[in-house]
């Protein structure tokens, strides 16, 4: 027989055990009997709906102190709704949605950039992360946004119930979209990658039927990076990556994971070869390593994690999950919306193979026509090309003070107008070349064929109060030069005869940038609408709304990032070699991708510059006003008042006259950039400085296009 001491020890052991919960099925019954949804219970427990589901199907158990709170709640419900009683307001059982089978996606070799992927036949349930002590669901937000206007809630893919990304803090809190907070138990980078792929429920569906799903993104705060063993800053300021012998890099490779050629830098990608249809790739962003450029993401790094998640989540939903900086993401978005390959059946074997997707740029890089590249390019360096190059760039022009009239000088103000996302507007319905260039001698000009034309436009004499539409400097051409199709077409539009000497043209063409334009236009317009700037406003209301639209730092950051994505994406189409050790004629990484297309960049910029000149010409015709200066998409006019309403052309009906500058929130329309005195503007012009660069005031500098 047991002694008293042994009995007391056994009882004490029972007392020390964790509180017992009713069986999982009983937990669900009690909640339903109380008429409480899983979402409401998750909110009360400071947890997630998925975690509550796991409690009720037995996949996981809560831990202290959430355990005691859950037990207390269940005991209270059990007293009110015993097992033999009829539930008061039962909640209907959730509907199980099955994913239909999706055919295998063909995107080339199984690399992190080109891995075959497809949706599973049935949406998997993400395993629950281990529970940790309760804490607030989110830190206090640093921004305030009116609740009157709410954006439409995007459809949630059941494979990715927790959205495209999270911001991981040092205490293991992973902040997602819509106030979601997940518990992340990872203490190493390898554990983080495995948790992300197996237990986070993160990711985003593909943007095109032949594309691939977006890999989950984890943004690391400074405290999270330190917890995972990452240094406070990168010592390698040139390469911007951890050395190969760093413990974190060794740990990743030891666990049979791989890094891309960029290594472990501010935007490391960690992957393994795909298993069947399932991708195994995670994108990280290390915030203390300046992963988010402050010019493109103003104030974001200094926000609390919950607000960073708001910014990045909204951007991911409207644009795409970031793959790097805004420029990289802008370029990746082009490929995501126009995948290079599609599945097609082999006529001989009957098997499905990866074939070219019409309208895309394909999978192989393409050599430019000699005038479209630069002397360093291997193909151009090899032939020793001396025939000149395209110089299609944005305007940087200042009017000569000698052309100013007394009437203009007596006007009190200089008013700057800025075209909304001018490069994006130029990308709309833009026909570009998709095939390799062919050389022609003495061709007849055709404005419908994209390419580069050697033409002499020096005989065209225009009003000196306007910049020449044919050069970025606004100066008149001095002889034959290479021009993109839109520039030559505009000379023809102005009534001048053009006789090309030679040309490099492309036979296969298409509107490659159209899906890119449409998605970014919607992102820009929708974000402005959330900021109170909508398309139905009058011009007076629009100007007033634009004065106040940057009150919410979250939306301001999203809008700035969208504009940077547009500008950076176009810029990435033509990247020069970098590094002190580079030698002319050697290939460089950027030129070895299919999206290295200087001819497409030239087409966008040429059309944007022509659009700007056309508006200035119409303004002169309708109002008699001529610009003082132009910088990319910003133009400065002498004005009788600080308001553009007093000098923009309007019909008798009060409606803006088409063709000239018009106010509005959509791409291609104008907004007020800044106001200064006319004396200020003339003083800068006399010093050969550009008033458009400083019209905002202070040391404000405009980028060369949005």
């Amino acid at each position: 027989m047991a002694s008293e001491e042994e009995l007391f020890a056994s009882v004490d052991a029972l007392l020390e055990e964790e509180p017992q919960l009713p069986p999982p099925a009983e937990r669900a019954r009690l909640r339903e009997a109380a008429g409480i949804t899983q979402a409401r219970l998750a909110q009360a427990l400071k947890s997630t709906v998925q975690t509550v589901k796991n409690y009720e199907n037995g996949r996981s158990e809560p831990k202290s102190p959430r355990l005691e709170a859950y037990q207390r709640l269940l005991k209270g419900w059990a007293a009110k709704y015993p097992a033999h009683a009829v539930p008061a307001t039962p909640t209907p059982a959730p509907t199980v949605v099955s994913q239909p089978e999706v055919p295998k996606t063909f995107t080339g070799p199984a690399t992190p950039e080109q891995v075959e992927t497809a949706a599973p036949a049935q949406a998997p349930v993400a395993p629950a992360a281990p529970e940790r002590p309760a804490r607030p669901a989110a830190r206090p937000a640093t921004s305030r946004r009116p609740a009157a206007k709410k954006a439409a809630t995007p459809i949630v893919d059941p494979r990715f119930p927790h959205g495209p990304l999270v911001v991981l803090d040092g205490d293991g809190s992973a902040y997602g979209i819509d106030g979601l907070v997940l518990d992340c138990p990872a203490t190493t980078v390898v554990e983080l990658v495995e948790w992300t792929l197996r237990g986070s429920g993160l990711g985003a569906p593909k943007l095109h039927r032949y594309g691939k799903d977006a890999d989950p993104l984890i943004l690391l705060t400074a405290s999270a990076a330190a917890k995972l063993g990452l240094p406070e800053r990168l010592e390698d300021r040139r390469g911007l990556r951890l050395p190969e012998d760093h413990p974190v890099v060794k740990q990743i490779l030891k666990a049979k994971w791989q890094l891309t050629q960029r290594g472990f830098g501010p935007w490391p990608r960690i992957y393994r070869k795909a298993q069947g249809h399932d991708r195994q790739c995670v994108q990280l962003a290390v915030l203390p390593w300046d992963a988010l450029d402050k010019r493109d993401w103003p104030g974001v790094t200094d926000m609390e994690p919950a607000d960073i998640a708001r910014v990045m989540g909204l951007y991911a939903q409207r644009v795409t999950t970031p793959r790097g900086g805004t420029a990289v993401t802008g370029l990746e978005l082009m490929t995501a919306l126009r995948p290079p390959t599609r599945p097609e059946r082999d006529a001989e074997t009957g098997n499905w193979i990866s074939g070219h997707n019409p309208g895309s740029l394909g999978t192989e890089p393409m050599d430019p026509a000699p005038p479209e590249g630069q002397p360093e390019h291997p193909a151009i360096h090899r032939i020793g090309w001396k025939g000149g190059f395209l110089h299609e760039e944005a305007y940087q022009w200042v009017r000569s003070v000698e052309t100013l009239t007394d009437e203009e000088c007596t006007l009190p103000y200089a008013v700057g107008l800025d075209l909304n996302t001018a490069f994006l507007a130029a990308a709309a319905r833009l026909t570009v070349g998709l095939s390799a260039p062919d050389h022609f001698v003495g061709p007849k000009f055709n404005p419908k064929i994209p390419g580069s034309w050697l033409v002499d436009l020096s005989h065209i004499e225009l009003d000196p109060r306007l910049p020449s539409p044919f050069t970025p400097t606004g100066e008149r051409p001095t002889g034959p030069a290479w021009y993109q199709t839109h520039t030559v077409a505009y000379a023809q539009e102005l009534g001048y005869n053009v006789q090309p000497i030679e040309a490099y043209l492309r036979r296969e063409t298409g509107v490659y940038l159209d899906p890119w334009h449409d998605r970014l236009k919607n992102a820009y317009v929708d974000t402005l609408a959330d900021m109170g700037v909508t398309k139905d406003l009058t011009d007076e209301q629009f100007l007033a709304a634009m004065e106040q639209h940057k009150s919410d730092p979250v939306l301001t950051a999203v809008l700035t990032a969208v504009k940077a994505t547009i500008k950076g994406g176009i810029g990435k189409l033509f990247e020069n070699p970098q590094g002190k050790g580079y030698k002319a004629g050697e290939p460089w990484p950027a030129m070895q991708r299919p999206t290295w297309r200087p001819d497409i960049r030239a087409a966008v910029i040429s059309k944007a510059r022509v659009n700007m000149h056309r508006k200035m010409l119409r303004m002169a015709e309708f109002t008699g006003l001529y610009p003082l200066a132009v910088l990319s998409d910003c133009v400065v006019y002498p004005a009788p008042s600080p308001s553009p309403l007093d000098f923009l052309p309007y019909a008798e009906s009060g409606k803006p006259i088409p063709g000239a500058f018009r106010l509005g929130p959509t791409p291609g329309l104008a907004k007020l950039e800044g106001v200064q005195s006319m004396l200020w503007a003339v003083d800068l012009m006399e010093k050969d400085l550009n008033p458009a660069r400083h019209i905002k005031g202070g040391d404000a500098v405009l980028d060369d296009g949005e």
Side-chain angles (χ1 to χ4, degrees), residues 55-231:
Y55 293 166
E56 294 184 356
N57 59 29
R59 285 193 175 93
S60 69
E61 296 292 328
K63 290 181 171 57
S64 181
R66 190 174 286 124
L67 172 61
E68 289 80 6
Y70 192 29
Q71 185 195 43
R72 180 178 181 183
L73 179 64
L74 292 175
K75 281 185 177 180
W77 282 343
K80 287 185 178 181
Y81 313 107
H84 60 273
V86 179
T89 53
T91 303
T95 303
V96 178
V97 181
S98 297
Q99 274 291 100
E101 275 198 24
V102 178
K104 189 174 183 181
T105 302
F106 292 79
T107 55
T111 68
E113 284 74 24
Q114 295 176 313
V115 179
E116 296 179 357
T117 180
Q122 185 172 353
V125 178
E131 299 295 336
R132 298 183 301 101
R135 43 167 172 67
R139 293 181 174 86
T142 58
S143 60
R144 296 291 180 267
R145 175 180 169 189
K149 188 174 184 66
K150 187 176 181 181
T153 303
I155 299 174
V156 177
D157 190 308
R159 296 172 298 149
F160 312 117
H162 295 152
L165 56 85
V166 291
V167 179
L168 182 63
D169 209 0
D171 64 354
S173 306
Y175 297 83
I177 60 175
D178 300 327
L180 171 75
V181 183
L182 299 175
D183 293 315
C184 177
T187 58
T188 67
V189 170
V190 170
E191 290 176 357
L192 175 61
V193 170
E194 293 175 348
W195 171 82
T196 302
L197 293 175
R198 296 179 177 85
S200 69
L202 295 171
K206 55 195 175 187
L207 298 178
H208 188 281
R209 61 181 298 191
Y210 300 138
K212 55 179 179 285
D213 296 330
D215 298 316
L217 169 63
I218 311 295
L219 297 106
L220 305 178
T221 64
S223 58
K227 179 181 178 180
L228 297 173
L230 299 174

Side-chain angles (χ1 to χ4, degrees), residues 332-623:
E332 292 285 348
L333 181 63
M334 295 180 194
T335 303
L337 294 167
R338 291 277 198 192
T341 61
R342 69 174 183 179
E344 60 182 35
R345 195 177 293 277
D346 188 296
E348 296 182 1
T349 65
N351 297 328
W352 287 100
I353 59 173
S354 180
H356 174 66
N357 183 27
S360 74
L361 298 183
T363 58
E364 297 297 325
M366 185 182 297
D367 286 341
E372 294 171 350
Q374 68 269 74
E376 298 89 349
H377 191 282
I380 300 172
H381 185 269
R382 186 168 54 249
I383 64 175
W385 175 258
K386 302 295 183 182
F389 295 92
L390 273 177
H391 190 51
E392 298 286 11
E393 299 294 341
Y395 268 133
Q396 294 192 51
W397 172 80
V398 179
R399 181 175 159 190
S400 171
V401 292
E402 297 177 357
T403 64
L404 293 175
T405 65
D406 292 341
E407 183 181 358
E408 287 176 317
C409 290
T410 57
L411 291 172
Y413 296 99
V415 177
L417 297 176
D418 182 72
L419 293 184
N420 302 318
T421 59
F423 289 170
L424 185 66
R429 302 304 302 166
L430 176 67
T431 300
V432 300
L434 300 177
S435 58
D438 292 321
H439 184 227
F440 297 87
V441 177
K444 180 181 179 181
F445 178 67
N446 187 333
K448 295 183 178 180
I449 300 178
S452 302
W453 308 78
L454 181 61
V455 190
D456 189 351
L457 301 179
S458 62
H459 63 285
I460 299 178
E461 185 173 357
L462 300 175
D463 194 311
R465 292 172 293 180
L466 289 174
S468 167
F470 311 126
T471 64
T473 62
E475 298 177 357
R476 182 174 174 176
T478 57
W482 289 96
Y483 301 98
Q484 202 275 337
T485 297
H486 281 88
T487 303
V488 183
Y490 189 56
Q492 196 175 63
E493 179 184 323
L494 293 174
Y496 295 92
N497 183 39
V498 292
Q499 296 180 332
I501 302 168
E502 58 180 306
Y504 285 90
L505 310 176
R506 288 171 167 81
R507 300 178 187 276
E508 183 184 347
T509 64
V511 285
Y512 171 73
L513 292 174
D514 255 17
W516 186 82
H517 163 272
D518 295 347
R519 188 165 181 87
L520 286 169
K521 176 185 176 181
N522 290 337
Y524 179 80
V525 171
D526 290 349
T527 305
L528 265 182
D530 286 347
M531 302 168 85
V533 186
T534 56
K535 291 185 285 187
D536 58 348
L537 299 178
T538 65
D539 285 358
E540 293 83 355
Q541 292 170 334
F542 169 73
L543 290 174
M546 287 299 291
E547 288 183 1
Q548 306 293 330
H549 79 293
K550 291 187 176 180
S551 59
D552 186 330
V554 168
L555 292 174
T556 299
V558 173
L559 185 69
T560 304
V562 170
K563 293 193 290 184
T565 303
I566 296 165
K567 175 196 169 188
I570 296 299
K572 276 281 184 181
L573 291 168
F574 186 23
E575 285 187 276
N576 289 312
Q578 299 177 1
K580 292 183 178 180
Y582 177 77
K583 295 181 180 179
E586 294 179 348
W588 62 94
M591 60 153 283
Q592 294 176 303
R593 62 172 187 249
T595 49
W596 189 84
R597 290 294 302 272
D599 58 301
I600 296 180
R601 176 184 178 273
V604 173
I605 296 177
S606 168
K607 184 179 175 183
R609 196 182 65 246
V610 164
N611 286 347
M612 174 65 87
H613 190 275
R614 187 182 290 114
K615 291 179 185 296
M616 290 187 290
L617 187 61
R618 296 292 179 266
M619 276 286 291
E621 293 174 357
F622 296 144
T623 68

Side-chain angles (χ1 to χ4, degrees), residues 585-705:
E586 294 179 348
W588 62 94
M591 60 153 283
Q592 294 176 303
R593 62 172 187 249
T595 49
W596 189 84
R597 290 294 302 272
D599 58 301
I600 296 180
R601 176 184 178 273
V604 173
I605 296 177
S606 168
K607 184 179 175 183
R609 196 182 65 246
V610 164
N611 286 347
M612 174 65 87
H613 190 275
R614 187 182 290 114
K615 291 179 185 296
M616 290 187 290
L617 187 61
R618 296 292 179 266
M619 276 286 291
E621 293 174 357
F622 296 144
T623 68
L625 289 176
Y626 290 85
L628 302 176
V630 186
L631 181 66
S632 186
D633 42 21
C634 179
V635 58
V636 178
Y637 276 97
S641 81
S643 173
L645 299 176
D646 293 332
F647 68 86
L648 289 176
Y650 290 88
E652 292 184 2
S653 63
K655 294 184 178 180
I657 297 179
F661 293 101
R662 296 175 54 189
L663 299 176
T666 55
L669 298 187
K671 60 180 179 290
L672 179 63
E673 183 67 17
V675 180
Q676 300 289 340
S677 72
M678 185 64 178
L679 289 176
W680 170 90
V682 174
D683 182 55
L684 288 183
M685 295 166 67
E686 289 176 340
K687 297 175 181 176
D688 202 25
L689 299 176
N690 195 323
R693 187 178 295 276
H694 307 281
I695 193 68
K696 280 186 177 181
D699 295 320
V701 176
L702 289 173
D703 288 328
D704 294 340

